[in-house]
Amino acid sequence: MRSRGSVGFVLALHGWSDYFYNTELAKYWTDHGYSFYALDFRRYGRSLRAHHLNPGFTSDLGEYDADLEAALAMIRSLEAPDTPGVCVAHSTGGLVASLWVNRFPKAFNALILNSPWLEMQGSYMVRYAAQGVVEPLAWLRPRAKLHLPESDGYWRSLSALAHGSWDLHPLWRPPCSFPVTAGWIAAVLAGHREVAHGLDIKIPVLVLTSKSTRLGTTYDEAMLHHDSVLEVRVVRERSLGLGAEVTNAVIDGSMHDVFSSLPRPRALAYAAIDRWGIGYLPGRRGRRRADRR
């Protein structure tokens, strides 16, 4: 969605077993004068092909560099050469985006992370334990599927066919997540390890998370008001090591995807961007002060 005479562009990145579907998010940005773009990574969503036997599979998060480079090249061909950019990234996409902008500091002017997966649930101790089990298998059989408990609880909190509000594609956002492979989880663990050592992101970062976590293997109504995927306390702690200018906004009542939550927490999330954007977003700096005049 392009905005004529845009003040900037936004590139949205999705999470694990996901794709871009949130047209409300796109409208929010275009209403503020930005051109909006979304990328479905290789082996996800609209990029899935019949020959992809393992949806979402990668053994190296750096593989997505090519996807991001191609997306930005396309955007730059449509926008003015000096148009500033904002990356909005969710969950695993937030991990990919954090590592990307750390390596390529001039790719964007600001980074907004929506419940980014920056560490394993629990703590780094869980990650250490998982590495010892997964990495030897990933080295030998990266596409080996791990036998993990399946749950459709989070899907039920999202889908209009259950308790949510969103029309989800049955293949691109299935009720249970894509099968987890050894190579994929090893790649994620490597990303977590890099974040744990500390990044040096040069651009301002806004991190949006729910106020609290409610994990479970079966759906319950609390999943509509809490993050049912990640432990938000751990996410917020890890986020402080991303760079020098990191802002945390706690969104009371939101789900894992704050922009797919119920209307009130969604409104709180957009209001948080509005406040933060006055200081950091291209085209919106000092807007409130100017409006008061």
Side-chain angles (χ1 to χ4, degrees), residues 33-108:
Y34 291 77
S35 296
F36 184 90
Y37 304 87
L39 171 64
D40 286 359
F41 286 118
R42 61 183 66 195
R43 307 183 192 96
Y44 286 91
R46 299 165 186 81
S47 299
L48 271 173
R49 299 294 182 265
H51 65 275
H52 291 156
L53 301 179
N54 300 111
F57 174 80
T58 187
S59 58
D60 182 357
L61 297 183
E63 185 178 18
Y64 300 127
D65 285 7
D67 299 16
L68 286 160
E69 289 167 2
L72 285 172
M74 183 274 293
I75 292 170
R76 293 296 183 189
S77 73
L78 298 173
E79 303 289 337
D82 58 347
T83 302
V86 180
C87 181
V88 179
H90 172 53
S91 198
T92 311
L95 174 62
V96 172
S98 297
L99 299 173
W100 164 265
V101 300
N102 188 60
R103 296 196 305 276
F104 302 99
K106 296 183 179 179
F108 297 101

Side-chain angles (χ1 to χ4, degrees), residues 22 24-25 28 259 265-275 284:
N22 195 328
E24 180 187 270
L25 177 64
Y28 166 82
F259 299 120
R266 291 208 307 270
L268 293 175
Y270 290 125
I273 296 176
D274 289 340
R275 291 190 298 273
R284 297 173 71 175

Side-chain angles (χ1 to χ4, degrees), residues 215-236:
L215 302 177
T217 56
T218 58
Y219 173 81
D220 70 64
E221 189 178 357
M223 290 181 173
L224 293 171
H225 311 285
H226 305 267
D227 192 317
S228 60
V229 177
L230 301 180
E231 292 198 28
V232 292
R233 174 187 57 81
V234 175
V235 171
R236 289 193 286 267

Side-chain angles (χ1 to χ4, degrees), residues 26 40 114 116 122 134 141 145 157 193 234 236 239 253 267 274 277:
D40 286 359
N114 166 13
V134 171
R141 298 172 55 210
K145 296 178 182 179
S157 69
R193 186 166 57 244
V234 175
R236 289 193 286 267
S239 72
D274 289 340

Side-chain angles (χ1 to χ4, degrees), residues 105-157:
K106 296 183 179 179
F108 297 101
N109 298 82
L111 175 63
I112 297 176
L113 299 176
N114 166 13
S115 302
W117 192 15
L118 302 178
E119 183 59 277
M120 289 296 290
Q121 289 83 336
S123 71
Y124 68 94
M125 296 299 293
V126 177
R127 171 164 49 85
Y128 287 164
Q131 285 173 197
V133 175
V134 171
E135 289 183 348
L137 178 60
W139 179 260
L140 295 172
R141 298 172 55 210
R143 294 181 182 272
K145 296 178 182 179
L146 305 183
H147 299 287
L148 302 175
E150 291 189 341
S151 172
D152 65 353
Y154 180 53
W155 176 87
R156 288 181 175 275
S157 69

Side-chain angles (χ1 to χ4, degrees), residues 22 24-25 28 164-166 208 251-255 257-273:
N22 195 328
E24 180 187 270
L25 177 64
Y28 166 82
S165 305
W166 304 94
L208 302 161
I251 310 301
D252 189 17
S254 77
M255 299 191 300
D257 185 343
V258 299
F259 299 120
S260 295
S261 303
L262 295 174
R264 180 180 178 276
R266 291 208 307 270
L268 293 175
Y270 290 125
I273 296 176

Side-chain angles (χ1 to χ4, degrees), residues 3-23:
S3 178
R4 180 172 296 180
S6 64
V7 299
F9 71 85
V10 171
L11 177 62
L13 308 178
H14 59 81
W16 166 244
S17 194
D18 207 354
Y19 71 106
F20 179 76
Y21 57 82
N22 195 328
T23 55

